[in-house]
Amino acid sequence: DERLAPAPGGKSDKMTSVEIKGITKSYQPGVPVLKPIDLAIKPGELFFLLGPSGCGKSTLLRILAGLVEPDSGSIRFNDVEITRLPPEKRRAAMVFQNYALWPHLSVFENVAFGLRAAGEKKAEIEREVQTALELVRMDGYAGRKIPSLSGGQQQRVALARALAVKPALLLLDEPLSNLDARLRDTMRREIRRICKERKLTAIYVTHDRKEALSMADRLAVMDQGVIRQIDTPEKAYNAPREKFVASFLGDANFIGGQIDSAGRWQTAFGPLDADGISGTPGETVTAMIRPERIRFSDAPGNNVIEARLTGRSFTGESCEWEFEAAGEKFTVIESAPPERTPGRNYLLHFPAGHLIRMR
């Protein structure tokens, strides 16, 4: 369909929207991998599916690629129904975790593979392969064989192969998990740069929260076949709606308490003010605060508690302090930390605006 993003040789800059409605999948009767999934992805968006192993994110990606058939539901690219189309008709290019490159072929031939399969002419193939290799900064490697390349270089070739066919949708299945930490940081920046330069709609699967938070325009946190929250990285991290999302996206302290007869939230530390926390007398309320949001205080005051320092974990740029107060344990993360003495009591401030009510 011409309303989809351009096929090889096309000149349209039209970006692709994706609409997923009621998608379900079970590999065994009565054991759903995906419960009804509804999701809308905007044209040109770098969208992440984030969650633990077995949550259904890779299955959803493979359904989008046409490699797995859903049990029910529909998928539309730019308002075009593609749910039952075979993979080659969708123009959805996939980059796999293990790269899936042919070791006996050169870099050029690996990148050209999809173009040759589409029946493109020789001149067009040479032009598109060169463009794709330049985009991933591998243009000097066209004649090399795959085994002679590093892991990072192989990942760039796999990405170039996907880009060469000018996909309507770029699908990335944990593409950086086999790289070392330094290379992952570099490739994160490169993948985001390429997607934005090419105005690509891309869906990226990972279990790595740092990857998702640093790269995504928006993300969906998945668990047990269900989407728990869809948001920007900043909103999902700073204002998670439930404990699973809060814990999966980063370190989190959870504080329980009850609403008293005066409408105040009473905790083990005493009454705490928290923006947006209210309820009926006797109602139990749990709130979350990120460890880096808690501040050391010089004087007593509202939402300031006294706590004993019980341990530390130094990471270089910051320190993770372990505290105990009123029988409760919690963590504080401090950047550029000074020396502090375990066993000593400190005053800590819990900002009302950073105490987030959990469902």
Side-chain angles (χ1 to χ4, degrees):
D1 193 299
E2 65 182 7
R3 288 177 292 171
L4 294 180
K11 301 202 181 290
S12 171
D13 285 330
K14 185 175 180 66
M15 295 181 285
T16 305
S17 64
V18 179
E19 185 180 42
I20 299 165
K21 283 192 174 179
I23 288 292
T24 65
K25 182 63 183 179
S26 297
Y27 294 112
Q28 301 174 28
V31 186
V33 175
L34 291 176
K35 297 166 187 178
I37 296 287
D38 295 317
L39 186 59
I41 296 166
K42 302 169 189 175
E45 192 168 35
L46 179 51
F47 192 93
F48 271 64
L49 298 173
L50 175 67
S53 298
C55 72
K57 58 189 186 294
S58 289
T59 293
L60 181 56
L61 200 74
R62 282 164 168 74
I63 288 172
L64 287 166
L67 303 176
V68 171
E69 190 169 318
D71 296 335
S72 62
S74 68
I75 302 168
R76 302 176 76 85
F77 291 178
N78 286 350
D79 294 324
V80 179
E81 171 74 43
I82 59 92
T83 315
R84 306 298 167 187
L85 279 183
E88 64 273 14
K89 300 287 188 180
R90 300 181 181 215
R91 302 187 208 144
M94 196 155 176
V95 180
F96 295 92
Q97 180 178 351
N98 63 357
Y99 317 143
L101 299 171
W102 287 277
H104 62 288
L105 297 180
S106 68
V107 166
F108 181 95
E109 290 301 327
N110 267 277
V111 177
F113 187 86
L115 294 164
R116 292 199 194 285
E120 289 298 312
K121 295 178 181 178
K122 181 180 179 182
E124 181 67 22
I125 290 171
E126 289 180 354
R127 181 165 57 250
E128 292 302 332
V129 170
Q130 179 66 20
T131 299
L133 287 175
E134 287 175 359
L135 197 61
V136 301
R137 298 173 179 170
M138 287 288 289
D139 44 310
Y141 293 79
R144 294 272 291 271
K145 288 291 179 68
I146 300 303
S148 71
L149 303 179
S150 68
Q153 290 169 334
Q154 289 184 39
Q155 187 55 272
R156 288 173 187 268
V157 174
L159 185 57
R161 182 179 58 189
L163 296 170
V165 298
K166 296 184 177 176
L169 183 65
L170 181 63
L171 305 172
L172 302 114
D173 190 8
E174 304 212 33
L176 308 183
S177 60
N178 291 331
L179 304 181
D180 63 45
R182 189 171 180 179
L183 261 179
R184 281 201 302 272
D185 288 342
T186 300
M187 285 303 298
R188 283 173 191 151
R189 291 189 291 271
E190 287 292 276
I191 288 173
R192 182 167 175 85
R193 173 187 66 82
I194 289 165
C195 287
K196 295 307 172 185
E197 279 185 15
R198 273 290 176 103
K199 299 180 180 178
L200 279 169
T201 304
I203 303 176
Y204 191 124
V205 159
T206 186
H207 63 272
D208 186 324
R209 69 192 188 199
K210 185 177 179 182
E211 213 159 85
L213 292 172
S214 64
M215 292 176 66
D217 293 321
R218 286 191 306 149
L219 55 84
V221 181
M222 295 184 66
D223 181 42
Q224 298 180 345
V226 173
I227 293 176
R228 299 294 183 186
Q229 185 167 341
I230 301 171
D231 239 320
T232 63
E234 294 83 359
K235 287 182 179 177
Y237 181 82
N238 291 318
R241 292 196 286 268
E242 56 182 83
K243 290 180 75 172
F244 174 81
V245 175
S247 296
F248 196 80
L249 288 179
D251 297 328
N253 297 303
F254 297 102
I255 301 170
Q258 281 193 331
I259 306 297
D260 65 16
S261 57
R264 296 204 71 188
W265 183 44
Q266 294 286 347
T267 73
F269 311 129
L272 289 177
D273 292 331
D275 296 352
I277 291 186
S278 60
T280 57
E283 183 180 355
T284 299
V285 173
T286 298
M288 182 279 298
I289 187 167
R290 295 289 183 196
E292 68 273 15
R293 297 297 187 182
I294 302 171
R295 297 283 183 258
F296 287 86
S297 177
D298 295 327
N302 197 40
N303 279 31
V304 175
I305 69 169
E306 186 174 348
R308 183 169 60 89
L309 180 60
T310 60
R312 67 188 286 275
S313 178
F314 182 66
T315 62
E317 71 277 5
S318 66
C319 192
E320 185 176 297
W321 306 107
E322 296 168 12
F323 280 94
E324 186 173 344
E328 301 288 329
K329 295 180 179 180
F330 57 94
T331 302
V332 178
I333 294 177
E334 186 181 23
S335 297
E339 286 291 326
R340 299 193 184 277
T341 307
R344 181 183 163 186
N345 285 3
Y346 291 89
L347 294 176
L348 299 168
H349 179 230
F350 288 62
H354 294 299
L355 284 160
I356 309 300
R357 184 170 184 161
M358 296 287 97
R359 285 204 299 243

